[in-house]
Amino acid sequence: MKRIGFGKRVSWFALCFAATGLGGTASAAVDGAQAADAKVLRVLSVNGGAGARSPDAAIWKKAPVARVDLQAAFPGHSSIVGTPATGQLAAQAVRARDMLYMKLRWSDKTANTAVADTDRFLDRVAVQFPLNGEASTTPFMGDGVNAVNIWHWRADGRTENLFAKGFGTATPVVSQALTSAATRRGDAWEVVLARPLAAKQEEGAMLKGRKTMPIAFAVWDGDNQERDGLKAVTLEWWQLRF
Protein backbone atom coordinates (compact mmCIF):
# COMPACT_ATOMS: atom_id res chain seq x y z
CA MET A 1 0.00 0.00 0.00
CA LYS A 2 1.26 3.46 -0.81
CA ARG A 3 0.83 4.78 2.71
CA ILE A 4 2.92 1.96 4.13
CA GLY A 5 5.62 2.76 1.63
CA PHE A 6 5.48 6.42 2.61
CA GLY A 7 5.75 5.44 6.25
CA LYS A 8 8.85 3.38 5.57
CA ARG A 9 10.51 6.26 3.71
CA VAL A 10 9.72 8.68 6.52
CA SER A 11 11.15 6.22 9.05
CA TRP A 12 14.37 5.98 7.03
CA PHE A 13 14.67 9.77 6.95
CA ALA A 14 13.99 9.88 10.68
CA LEU A 15 17.03 7.69 11.29
CA CYS A 16 19.15 9.92 9.06
CA PHE A 17 17.99 13.11 10.79
CA ALA A 18 18.33 11.79 14.34
CA ALA A 19 21.94 12.92 14.59
CA THR A 20 21.03 16.43 13.44
CA GLY A 21 18.28 16.91 16.00
CA LEU A 22 15.51 16.75 13.40
CA GLY A 23 14.42 13.26 14.34
CA GLY A 24 11.52 14.55 16.43
CA THR A 25 9.97 16.22 13.40
CA ALA A 26 10.32 13.10 11.27
CA SER A 27 8.89 10.96 14.06
CA ALA A 28 5.89 13.26 14.31
CA ALA A 29 5.35 12.86 10.57
CA VAL A 30 5.36 9.08 10.95
CA ASP A 31 2.88 9.24 13.83
CA GLY A 32 0.62 11.57 11.86
CA ALA A 33 0.65 9.33 8.79
CA GLN A 34 -0.10 6.25 10.86
CA ALA A 35 -2.90 8.00 12.76
CA ALA A 36 -4.53 9.18 9.54
CA ASP A 37 -4.33 5.72 7.99
CA ALA A 38 -5.70 4.13 11.17
CA LYS A 39 -9.09 5.80 10.66
CA VAL A 40 -9.73 4.37 7.21
CA LEU A 41 -12.32 1.72 6.34
CA ARG A 42 -11.33 0.17 3.01
CA VAL A 43 -14.13 -1.00 0.73
CA LEU A 44 -13.80 -4.35 -1.05
CA SER A 45 -15.09 -4.06 -4.64
CA VAL A 46 -16.54 -7.18 -6.26
CA ASN A 47 -18.50 -7.94 -9.41
CA GLY A 48 -21.18 -10.08 -7.78
CA GLY A 49 -21.83 -9.80 -4.08
CA ALA A 50 -25.61 -10.17 -3.84
CA GLY A 51 -25.03 -12.56 -0.94
CA ALA A 52 -23.36 -9.75 1.02
CA ARG A 53 -26.81 -8.85 2.37
CA SER A 54 -26.36 -11.68 4.88
CA PRO A 55 -23.97 -11.38 7.84
CA ASP A 56 -23.04 -15.02 7.14
CA ALA A 57 -22.01 -14.46 3.52
CA ALA A 58 -18.61 -15.81 2.52
CA ILE A 59 -17.59 -12.44 1.05
CA TRP A 60 -17.18 -11.02 4.56
CA LYS A 61 -14.22 -13.34 5.10
CA LYS A 62 -12.41 -11.42 2.34
CA ALA A 63 -13.38 -7.85 3.23
CA PRO A 64 -10.89 -5.80 5.31
CA VAL A 65 -11.86 -5.33 8.95
CA ALA A 66 -11.49 -1.97 10.69
CA ARG A 67 -11.42 -1.96 14.49
CA VAL A 68 -13.31 1.19 15.45
CA ASP A 69 -12.76 2.55 18.96
CA LEU A 70 -15.80 4.19 20.54
CA GLN A 71 -16.17 6.79 23.28
CA ALA A 72 -19.04 8.35 25.18
CA ALA A 73 -21.01 10.79 23.05
CA PHE A 74 -20.81 14.49 23.79
CA PRO A 75 -23.55 15.22 26.38
CA GLY A 76 -25.64 17.56 24.25
CA HIS A 77 -28.34 17.75 26.94
CA SER A 78 -28.11 17.85 30.74
CA SER A 79 -30.41 14.82 30.99
CA ILE A 80 -27.84 12.62 29.24
CA VAL A 81 -25.91 10.91 32.02
CA GLY A 82 -24.18 7.55 32.23
CA THR A 83 -21.31 5.67 30.62
CA PRO A 84 -21.86 3.63 27.44
CA ALA A 85 -20.90 -0.03 27.59
CA THR A 86 -19.46 -0.58 24.11
CA GLY A 87 -15.81 0.25 23.55
CA GLN A 88 -15.25 -1.02 20.02
CA LEU A 89 -16.96 -2.36 16.93
CA ALA A 90 -15.66 -4.15 13.85
CA ALA A 91 -16.64 -2.56 10.53
CA GLN A 92 -16.43 -3.93 6.98
CA ALA A 93 -17.66 -2.63 3.63
CA VAL A 94 -18.30 -4.24 0.24
CA ARG A 95 -19.20 -2.50 -3.01
CA ALA A 96 -20.98 -4.79 -5.46
CA ARG A 97 -21.86 -3.02 -8.70
CA ASP A 98 -24.22 -0.21 -7.65
CA MET A 99 -24.67 -1.32 -4.03
CA LEU A 100 -22.81 -0.66 -0.77
CA TYR A 101 -22.99 -3.23 2.02
CA MET A 102 -21.70 -2.45 5.50
CA LYS A 103 -21.23 -5.10 8.16
CA LEU A 104 -20.97 -4.04 11.80
CA ARG A 105 -20.12 -6.40 14.65
CA TRP A 106 -19.88 -5.61 18.35
CA SER A 107 -20.01 -7.44 21.67
CA ASP A 108 -23.29 -7.28 23.58
CA LYS A 109 -24.04 -10.03 26.09
CA THR A 110 -27.77 -9.34 26.21
CA ALA A 111 -30.06 -9.05 23.19
CA ASN A 112 -32.51 -6.22 23.86
CA THR A 113 -35.14 -6.40 21.15
CA ALA A 114 -38.10 -4.57 22.68
CA VAL A 115 -38.95 -1.35 24.51
CA ALA A 116 -41.01 -1.71 27.69
CA ASP A 117 -42.14 0.81 30.31
CA THR A 118 -39.42 3.37 30.97
CA ASP A 119 -36.46 1.16 31.78
CA ARG A 120 -36.09 -1.27 28.87
CA PHE A 121 -34.43 -0.04 25.71
CA LEU A 122 -33.29 -1.40 22.35
CA ASP A 123 -29.86 -2.39 21.14
CA ARG A 124 -29.06 -0.22 18.13
CA VAL A 125 -26.28 0.71 15.73
CA ALA A 126 -25.86 3.49 13.19
CA VAL A 127 -23.53 4.89 10.57
CA GLN A 128 -23.51 8.55 9.60
CA PHE A 129 -22.44 10.46 6.48
CA PRO A 130 -22.29 14.22 5.82
CA LEU A 131 -24.84 15.08 3.12
CA ASN A 132 -22.36 17.43 1.47
CA GLY A 133 -19.63 14.78 1.57
CA GLU A 134 -17.27 17.11 3.43
CA ALA A 135 -15.30 16.26 6.58
CA SER A 136 -15.72 19.91 7.65
CA THR A 137 -19.28 18.97 8.70
CA THR A 138 -19.37 18.35 12.44
CA PRO A 139 -19.60 14.61 13.23
CA PHE A 140 -21.91 15.43 16.14
CA MET A 141 -25.07 14.93 14.06
CA GLY A 142 -24.36 17.89 11.82
CA ASP A 143 -25.48 21.47 12.42
CA GLY A 144 -28.07 23.97 11.24
CA VAL A 145 -26.33 24.44 7.90
CA ASN A 146 -24.73 21.07 7.18
CA ALA A 147 -26.97 18.04 7.58
CA VAL A 148 -25.99 14.40 8.02
CA ASN A 149 -27.59 11.19 6.76
CA ILE A 150 -27.88 8.39 9.33
CA TRP A 151 -28.52 4.71 8.62
CA HIS A 152 -30.06 3.48 11.87
CA TRP A 153 -30.66 -0.19 12.74
CA ARG A 154 -32.85 -1.15 15.71
CA ALA A 155 -32.97 -4.58 17.33
CA ASP A 156 -36.76 -4.66 17.01
CA GLY A 157 -36.24 -5.21 13.29
CA ARG A 158 -36.73 -1.65 12.07
CA THR A 159 -34.23 0.22 9.92
CA GLU A 160 -34.48 4.00 9.66
CA ASN A 161 -33.08 6.45 7.16
CA LEU A 162 -32.60 9.72 9.06
CA PHE A 163 -31.51 13.29 8.44
CA ALA A 164 -30.17 15.47 11.27
CA LYS A 165 -29.00 19.06 11.68
CA GLY A 166 -27.68 18.90 15.23
CA PHE A 167 -28.52 17.22 18.54
CA GLY A 168 -32.14 16.16 18.92
CA THR A 169 -33.09 16.85 15.30
CA ALA A 170 -33.03 13.35 13.78
CA THR A 171 -35.93 13.09 11.34
CA PRO A 172 -37.06 10.02 9.37
CA VAL A 173 -36.78 10.33 5.60
CA VAL A 174 -38.76 7.98 3.41
CA SER A 175 -36.49 5.56 1.58
CA GLN A 176 -37.25 2.06 0.40
CA ALA A 177 -33.63 1.58 -0.63
CA LEU A 178 -32.04 1.13 2.82
CA THR A 179 -32.26 -2.44 4.08
CA SER A 180 -30.73 -4.48 6.87
CA ALA A 181 -30.12 -8.02 8.08
CA ALA A 182 -28.98 -9.03 11.56
CA THR A 183 -28.00 -12.09 13.53
CA ARG A 184 -26.74 -13.01 16.97
CA ARG A 185 -23.43 -14.87 17.12
CA GLY A 186 -22.47 -15.79 20.65
CA ASP A 187 -22.44 -12.63 22.75
CA ALA A 188 -22.39 -10.31 19.76
CA TRP A 189 -24.57 -8.62 17.17
CA GLU A 190 -23.74 -8.78 13.48
CA VAL A 191 -25.66 -6.34 11.29
CA VAL A 192 -25.46 -5.64 7.56
CA LEU A 193 -26.80 -2.34 6.23
CA ALA A 194 -27.25 -2.05 2.47
CA ARG A 195 -28.17 0.78 0.11
CA PRO A 196 -27.55 1.74 -3.53
CA LEU A 197 -24.53 4.02 -3.95
CA ALA A 198 -26.66 6.59 -5.76
CA ALA A 199 -29.35 8.53 -3.91
CA LYS A 200 -31.45 11.61 -4.51
CA GLN A 201 -30.39 14.57 -2.38
CA GLU A 202 -33.67 14.49 -0.49
CA GLU A 203 -33.24 10.79 0.31
CA GLY A 204 -29.64 10.40 1.45
CA ALA A 205 -25.92 10.87 0.96
CA MET A 206 -24.59 10.39 -2.57
CA LEU A 207 -21.89 7.71 -2.54
CA LYS A 208 -21.65 6.97 -6.25
CA GLY A 209 -18.47 8.20 -7.93
CA ARG A 210 -16.66 9.00 -4.70
CA LYS A 211 -13.16 7.79 -3.83
CA THR A 212 -13.60 8.55 -0.14
CA MET A 213 -16.50 9.50 2.12
CA PRO A 214 -16.46 10.63 5.76
CA ILE A 215 -18.24 8.15 8.01
CA ALA A 216 -19.02 7.96 11.72
CA PHE A 217 -20.40 5.20 13.95
CA ALA A 218 -22.64 4.83 17.01
CA VAL A 219 -23.79 1.93 19.21
CA TRP A 220 -26.47 1.75 21.90
CA ASP A 221 -26.59 -1.03 24.54
CA GLY A 222 -30.20 -1.31 25.65
CA ASP A 223 -29.34 -3.36 28.72
CA ASN A 224 -27.20 -0.43 29.89
CA GLN A 225 -30.19 1.91 29.62
CA GLU A 226 -28.68 3.57 26.56
CA ARG A 227 -30.98 5.62 24.33
CA ASP A 228 -31.01 8.92 22.47
CA GLY A 229 -27.76 10.77 23.26
CA LEU A 230 -26.46 8.16 25.72
CA LYS A 231 -24.42 6.06 23.29
CA ALA A 232 -20.91 5.04 22.26
CA VAL A 233 -19.62 6.92 19.21
CA THR A 234 -16.65 7.97 17.14
CA LEU A 235 -15.80 11.55 18.07
CA GLU A 236 -14.30 12.32 14.67
CA TRP A 237 -14.86 11.24 11.11
CA TRP A 238 -13.37 8.08 9.70
CA GLN A 239 -12.86 7.77 5.93
CA LEU A 240 -14.69 5.18 3.86
CA ARG A 241 -12.21 4.52 1.04
CA PHE A 242 -13.53 3.00 -2.19
Side-chain angles (χ1 to χ4, degrees):
M1 295 182 292
K2 291 184 177 179
R3 283 193 176 275
I4 291 179
F6 171 77
K8 288 180 178 178
R9 290 195 297 272
V10 173
S11 298
W12 183 84
F13 282 121
L15 291 174
C16 293
F17 291 164
T20 65
L22 298 177
T25 301
S27 178
V30 173
D31 293 341
Q34 291 175 342
D37 204 47
K39 290 183 171 59
V40 170
L41 172 55
R42 300 181 185 278
V43 180
L44 174 66
S45 295
V46 296
N47 292 325
R53 292 182 183 275
S54 168
D56 298 320
I59 192 65
W60 295 115
K61 295 180 180 180
K62 301 178 181 179
V65 179
R67 306 293 177 184
V68 181
D69 291 328
L70 304 172
Q71 294 84 34
F74 176 80
H77 191 277
S78 58
S79 64
I80 300 174
V81 294
T83 302
T86 308
Q88 189 181 82
L89 66 78
Q92 296 172 276
V94 169
R95 176 175 60 185
R97 297 178 182 174
D98 63 344
M99 292 290 298
L100 177 68
Y101 302 90
M102 297 204 60
K103 181 177 179 180
L104 307 170
R105 185 184 191 280
W106 70 100
S107 297
D108 188 337
K109 294 183 178 180
T110 305
N112 299 94
T113 59
V115 176
D117 300 322
T118 59
D119 61 350
R120 291 181 61 189
F121 301 96
L122 294 169
D123 295 332
R124 298 185 283 166
V125 71
V127 296
Q128 173 185 271
F129 306 97
L131 269 180
N132 61 11
E134 300 296 330
S136 56
T137 297
T138 174
F140 306 127
M141 299 188 72
D143 56 42
V145 176
N146 301 301
V148 294
N149 178 206
I150 301 167
W151 301 357
H152 180 209
W153 174 85
R154 299 160 43 117
D156 59 1
R158 293 173 57 189
T159 305
E160 299 174 320
N161 184 49
L162 307 171
F163 279 9
K165 289 187 174 182
F167 295 114
T169 66
T171 304
V173 176
V174 177
S175 173
Q176 302 299 321
L178 179 63
T179 62
S180 69
T183 189
R184 288 285 294 178
R185 195 179 307 280
D187 290 337
W189 280 110
E190 294 186 0
V191 174
V192 173
L193 295 166
R195 202 208 71 180
L197 293 166
K200 297 179 180 179
Q201 187 174 9
E202 63 270 20
E203 294 182 358
M206 172 61 78
L207 302 174
K208 186 176 182 180
R210 297 192 65 94
K211 293 183 178 180
T212 62
M213 182 67 168
I215 185 172
F217 304 87
V219 173
W220 293 259
D221 186 333
D223 195 56
N224 192 43
Q225 307 288 292
E226 295 175 30
R227 71 279 187 194
D228 302 326
L230 177 54
K231 56 189 174 183
V233 303
T234 44
L235 295 177
E236 58 186 320
W237 293 112
W238 277 56
Q239 289 295 321
L240 186 65
R241 182 171 297 169
F242 294 93

